[in-house]
Structures are given as structure tokens and as C-alpha cells.
Amino acid sequence: MTQLVRMFLLVFIVAFGLMYLTSYLNSSAGYSGGNTLTVYNWGDYIDPELIAQFEEETGIKVIYQTFDSNEAMMTKIKQGGTTFDVAIPSEYAISKMKEDDLLLKLDHSKLPNLEHIDSRFMHLSFDPENAYSVPYFWGTVGIVFNPDLVGDLTFDSWDDLWDESLRNNVFLLDGAREVIGMGLNSLGYSLNDTNEEHLQEALAKLSKLTPNVKAIVGDEIKMLMANEEAAVGLVWSGDASEIMDENEALDYIVPEEGSNLWFDNMVIPKTARNLDGAHQFINFMLNPEVAAQNTEYVGYSTPNKDALAILPEDISGDERFYPDEELTERLEVYDNLGPRMLSHYNELFLEFKMHRK
Ligand code: SPD
């Protein structure tokens, strides 16, 4: 082989290798090159038109992926292998991700729209300086119900869910913290309780709910409730608001024993490759017009005070979804209970689900 042929072969092998590597990276889930951005969000949690608007304004192509629980999202980010530039976890998950060193610090100089966020939603205990996260949506956990189908039940108390008249007539959202937390709250315990006796008591009480439980479901709970497939659902407040948009007969309440107050914030995971794009996306979502459009589309409660000011009164003035301080003071935020206790909650939830079969 002549020197020239060897050179040619070498160049060919290197070029082919580079081409293969580039196409592998581009096709692997969540690859974010210079002009792409991978966003990892809950299902049904953004107006798709806003993604298109962001792409058009910035020239950045968004690769959008969804998850259905904080636990699934954390596992995927921890595994590595997938590049996510922006993710939207809830408060206790943010605290855990910080502990596990899975988050990058935000550059606030690139987030001027942060000034539109109501100070009530800043500096919360899971991220006191907002060094790693900024608000996206917030809400409560409660009961959506169809007054025409539940007789005299008012759902001021969680115990109403156990009423015999609701046989096979209750949907539960598929969340370990929400369902175990509801069991604990119904007994007067904190939804952050770690006392094993209390947890077993909650599980025993939940198992008595099984005759009433029609199904434990994800985002489809909205369609099922709006279509009156059951009379009652345990839901996140924003889902209730969307259900009630579809079917005005329904109502939403947070029982008096207390419930959960939650916050979903935007973060940049350690896996990020497009840091500048990630900041641009976060700042875009904080823009009041964008946040208002997003709020109208997904139905959840916005922490953006200037978005709230331009939203119609029937949204911004609805105390079921923008509860006053008296109600929010009765509510509890999930603590990061640590990896062992979080797994234990998941195991208890699985046990409850298995008991139903
Ligand atoms: N379909 C969007 C659901 C987002 C709900 N996030 C709530 C988190 C509560 N811990």
C-alpha cells in the first residue's frame, strides 16, 4: 500500500467515525447540541404553541420530553446518558436533587423576568436563595366532584371519600406522596409523617378505600372526570381547573383536615449542554404574556404576579385555585424525607395498589 492510499484510508476512517458519532449523539434521546434544547417536563404542562414561539424567536430547536412523577424524573436524570437542559421538578425533588448534586446554579443575570414573580413564591425553604430553581406553577391537592352524583356529601373532610355510596366511583391520581399523604391527613397526621405506626395505620385505612376506587390514573383523570366516568377524583388543583373548564357541573375543594401545597420550579440539571439556551427558555417562560398564555392553556396556578394581572378575573379571582393565606396556612409542603423514606412511601403505595387487584 502506498503512503497516499494509507493516508486516504486514515482520513476516510476518521471522517466516517466522526459522522457516526455525530449521528449517534443526535439520535440519542435528549441530545442538546448548540442549537437544540432538551426540556423535561410533566405531561400536559405547557402550551405547545409557546414551544413553537420560543423556537421561532430564538432559532433554538426544542426537544421536549415528559415524565409523570418526580421519582421517574429523578431516576432518569441520575442515570445520566440523557441530556436534559431544563427540567421542572417539585419542591421536595429539588431539595433531593440539590443533595445529590444533580443541579447547576442559575445565572440570575440571565433571568431578568424573575422580577415578575410574586415574592410569596421566592426564597422558599427547599431553595432559599433560588440559586437552583425558579417558580413555574403551584397548587394544592384536593377533591374534584360532581355535586349531581354525590348526594349530600360535601367533602369538607377526607373521610367523605370512604362513604359507602361512592362504591367504584372514585379516581385517584397516581402519586405515592399524594395518596399516602391523603391517608395520613385523613387520620390527622402530617403528610410528612415518618412514624412507622402512623404509616401502617394510613395504609390500613387506605385499604378500606379500595371498594370505592375505580382506578388509579395519570393525566387521563381529566378526561375521565370531565366525561363523568366517576363522581369523585383525588387530583392536583390545576387538573381540577381543566376538568371544570370541560364540565362546569364539577367543583373542587380542599378538605379541612389539611392537604398539600406544592410548587413546581424550573431547574437546569447537571446534564445540561446548552446553558445559554436553558436560561433563555426559563426567562421566556417567566415573561408575563407567556406565563399568562401558559396558565390559560394548562389551568394551573401561576406564581407570576404580572401574568395574573392580565388574566381574566374568572381565573385570577377564583379562590379555589388562588386560595387565600388562611387556607394556604392549613396546608403542608412536602419535605424531602430522604431516599430511604421516599422509597418506603413508594413501597407502601405499591402495596396499596396491589391490594386493589
Ligand atoms: N399534568 C401536570 C401535572 C403537574 C403536577 N405537578 C404537581 C406536583 C405535585 N407534587
Side-chain angles (χ1 to χ4, degrees):
M1 227 188 295
T2 66
Q3 185 81 0
L4 196 65
V5 174
R6 256 194 243 123
M7 276 278 277
F8 176 76
L9 268 178
L10 189 68
V11 170
F12 179 78
I13 289 167
V14 170
F16 187 80
L18 277 174
M19 257 168 56
Y20 178 79
L21 187 68
T22 311
S23 104
Y24 169 76
L25 286 174
N26 277 319
S27 64
S28 75
Y31 168 69
S32 301
N35 224 22
T36 64
L37 185 82
T38 306
V39 176
Y40 199 26
N41 196 358
W42 294 83
D44 288 352
Y45 216 28
I46 199 165
D47 178 351
E49 272 184 16
L50 291 171
I51 298 178
Q53 187 183 326
F54 174 78
E55 289 181 326
E56 202 176 311
E57 281 179 18
T58 60
I60 297 172
K61 164 104 191 78
V62 172
I63 300 166
Y64 192 75
Q65 294 192 38
T66 60
F67 55 85
D68 57 13
S69 72
N70 281 301
E71 288 64 31
M73 176 272 308
M74 286 191 281
T75 306
K76 190 106 182 250
I77 288 183
K78 205 165 188 172
Q79 271 167 359
T82 311
T83 297
F84 294 111
D85 296 301
V86 176
I88 308 191
S90 310
E91 67 302 295
Y92 75 94
I94 292 170
S95 160
K96 172 133 195 356
M97 290 170 90
K98 274 166 57 182
E99 234 169 63
D100 292 350
D101 197 21
L102 292 177
L103 299 180
L104 292 177
K105 281 204 167 173
L106 300 175
D107 179 348
H108 282 215
S109 72
K110 293 184 176 166
L111 304 174
N113 285 334
L114 248 189
E115 67 177 15
H116 302 294
I117 296 295
D118 189 326
S119 56
R120 286 168 68 197
F121 302 101
M122 297 291 288
H123 311 295
L124 299 177
S125 61
F126 56 91
D127 188 17
E129 306 300 326
N130 291 100
Y132 297 91
S133 76
V134 295
Y136 184 66
F137 281 121
W138 66 284
T140 56
V141 169
I143 295 174
V144 67
F145 65 102
N146 190 329
D148 300 335
L149 304 178
V150 297
D152 291 338
L153 295 174
T154 54
F155 302 100
D156 294 327
S157 163
W158 287 114
D159 280 343
D160 283 342
L161 285 181
W162 274 257
D163 195 273
E164 280 189 359
S165 65
L166 294 178
R167 286 289 173 269
N168 203 32
N169 222 349
V170 176
F171 286 124
L172 298 181
L173 75 83
D174 192 3
R177 298 271 334 233
E178 285 77 7
V179 174
I180 302 294
M182 181 266 283
L184 288 163
N185 272 170
S186 74
L187 291 161
Y189 299 135
S190 157
L191 48 71
N192 291 309
D193 206 323
T194 56
N195 177 311
E196 189 55 24
E197 263 178 44
H198 296 172
L199 288 169
Q200 291 303 331
E201 222 182 301
L203 185 60
K205 177 151 186 195
L206 284 171
S207 74
K208 294 199 182 116
L209 183 65
T210 54
N212 286 6
V213 179
K214 185 160 188 180
I216 299 176
V217 281
D219 282 330
E220 62 274 29
I221 201 165
K222 290 179 281 189
M223 188 260 296
L224 292 168
M225 285 302 302
N227 289 343
E228 306 194 349
E229 299 283 337
V232 183
L234 172 77
V235 290
W236 291 306
S237 49
D239 283 358
S241 139
E242 220 181 314
I243 292 164
M244 287 154 58
D245 268 352
E246 293 294 317
N247 185 337
E248 289 182 358
L250 277 74
D251 203 357
Y252 176 75
I253 191 165
V254 174
E256 272 162 12
E257 296 97 334
S259 182
N260 171 229
L261 173 68
W262 55 261
F263 307 95
D264 288 341
N265 278 18
M266 296 179 276
V267 301
I268 303 186
K270 268 255 162 96
T271 55
R273 293 205 196 157
N274 188 350
L275 285 187
D276 199 50
H279 283 92
Q280 283 185 65
F281 182 82
I282 293 173
N283 197 48
F284 173 80
M285 295 312 300
L286 294 170
N287 172 297
E289 278 83 29
V290 169
Q293 182 176 330
N294 207 23
T295 303
E296 289 213 63
Y297 184 88
V298 300
Y300 277 78
S301 310
T302 181
N304 190 312
K305 60 179 175 358
D306 297 320
L308 203 59
I310 53 177
L311 279 164
E313 168 68 20
D314 63 328
I315 295 182
S316 58
D318 192 335
E319 292 212 343
R320 291 167 300 185
F321 305 113
Y322 290 92
D324 59 18
E325 280 188 24
E326 192 198 316
L327 173 67
T328 48
E329 268 162 27
R330 274 199 281 128
L331 304 179
E332 261 183 302
V333 180
Y334 295 133
D335 289 340
N336 169 16
L337 301 176
R340 284 185 52 199
M341 193 44 71
L342 284 180
S343 312
H344 190 41
Y345 266 62
N346 287 334
E347 283 159 13
L348 293 170
F349 185 46
L350 264 184
E351 218 174 310
F352 166 64
K353 285 184 178 178
M354 305 237 297
H355 199 264
R356 292 190 56 247
K357 290 188 178 146

